[in-house]
Amino acid sequence: THKKLHNTERETRRINRILGENTDKTFGIDISHYQRKEDIKWDSLSIGNRTIPIEFVVLRATMGNRSADRNFDEFWTLAKKHNLIRGAYHFYRADEDPVVQANNFLENVKLEEGDLPPILDIEKIPKRKSNEKLIEDLKTWCQIVEKTYGAKPIIYTYYHYYKDFLKGEFDDYPLWLANYNDVPAPAPEEIEWNFWQFTENGIVY
């Protein structure tokens, strides 16, 4: 219990330091059905001890070939109603079909002017495909979605996943990196990133 409390205090200090060093940035959160509908007060979302407003929200829309987040439609409507910038992401299942997965996303997500570009969440390594085939499949997903929306999808992944598998293949795509370590930025300077998911434990009011 003491160790858990110490880790929580350390994470809180890290988050507060990141917030303090990025006061000129825009902050947002991601939401899926793991957040209970009754717990979200859409008209007053904030962080940093209620000093920083949440300006955008990214919602999990679809997963793999057939699945969709059961709260997506409701959350999507509520986010717009409360004047939040919206984003929608597809959780990519590495061993499933990229064309079917792209169509699953397109059937469930209707982006409008002012929304973020479509987002591809890739964080799993395939069990039945080579890494080369994975890259080919991810590019297929991106091309289908980009053709529909006229915008390059944002690639969401972890720093080491990007470095080990994706770097050099998606350099002209906007990059969203998750890095929960005690670092001043999610990646070294040679990797150009647009979004940083810096914690999975922050307090949102």
Side-chain angles (χ1 to χ4, degrees):
T1 305
H2 176 74
K3 183 179 180 183
K4 185 176 182 181
L5 181 64
H6 178 71
N7 289 341
T8 301
E9 291 172 348
R10 186 170 58 191
E11 176 67 359
T12 299
R13 287 196 300 271
R14 186 184 75 86
I15 291 170
N16 288 338
R17 186 166 63 251
I18 291 171
L19 296 178
E21 291 170 353
N22 292 279
T23 55
D24 59 329
K25 302 296 192 301
T26 299
F27 289 88
I29 56 175
D30 71 295
I31 297 176
S32 70
H33 78 252
Y34 295 113
Q35 283 72 47
R36 298 189 309 169
K37 290 189 282 187
E38 58 270 22
D39 289 343
I40 303 173
K41 305 295 184 275
W42 289 92
D43 58 352
S44 58
L45 294 172
S46 61
I47 56 173
N49 204 22
R50 296 186 173 87
T51 61
I52 301 171
I54 292 298
E55 297 186 44
F56 71 92
V57 58
V58 176
L59 307 172
R60 186 176 71 167
T62 48
M63 306 85 79
N65 283 350
R66 308 280 178 213
S67 301
D69 192 288
R70 65 176 178 265
N71 291 340
F72 174 73
D73 289 339
E74 182 176 352
F75 286 171
W76 189 248
T77 301
L78 285 166
K80 182 176 184 179
K81 179 181 175 183
H82 290 93
N83 298 313
L84 291 159
I85 297 169
R86 305 180 300 182
Y89 74 90
H90 174 79
F91 183 86
Y92 192 88
R93 290 181 175 153
D95 283 301
E96 296 185 5
D97 186 289
V99 176
V100 177
Q101 292 196 67
N103 287 331
N104 183 24
F105 182 80
L106 294 175
E107 287 164 10
N108 282 279
V109 178
K110 306 306 175 194
L111 296 177
E112 300 175 9
E113 187 175 352
D115 294 333
L116 292 171
I119 301 165
L120 176 63
D121 176 344
I122 175 64
E123 48 192 87
K124 301 292 185 183
I125 298 168
K127 294 183 174 69
R128 301 188 299 273
K129 295 180 180 180
S130 67
N131 293 342
E132 291 76 17
K133 182 70 168 90
L134 172 66
I135 297 300
E136 180 185 322
D137 285 355
L138 292 174
K139 288 182 176 179
T140 296
W141 189 98
C142 287
Q143 288 162 2
I144 293 169
V145 173
E146 181 179 350
K147 185 176 180 182
T148 299
Y149 285 124
K152 284 190 178 298
I154 297 167
I155 305 292
Y156 168 90
T157 191
Y158 294 93
Y159 163 63
H160 284 289
Y161 193 106
Y162 183 81
K163 182 173 68 73
D164 294 343
F165 297 103
L166 306 181
K167 189 178 178 186
E169 299 290 346
F170 296 90
D171 290 351
D172 55 344
Y173 286 80
L175 182 61
W176 183 329
L177 288 177
N179 189 335
Y180 309 143
N181 296 307
D182 193 1
V183 290
E189 290 182 1
E190 71 267 15
I191 296 178
E192 187 175 332
W193 55 274
N194 303 83
F195 295 80
W196 176 13
Q197 186 179 56
F198 56 85
T199 184
E200 55 184 347
N201 297 309
I203 295 173
V204 178
Y205 299 94

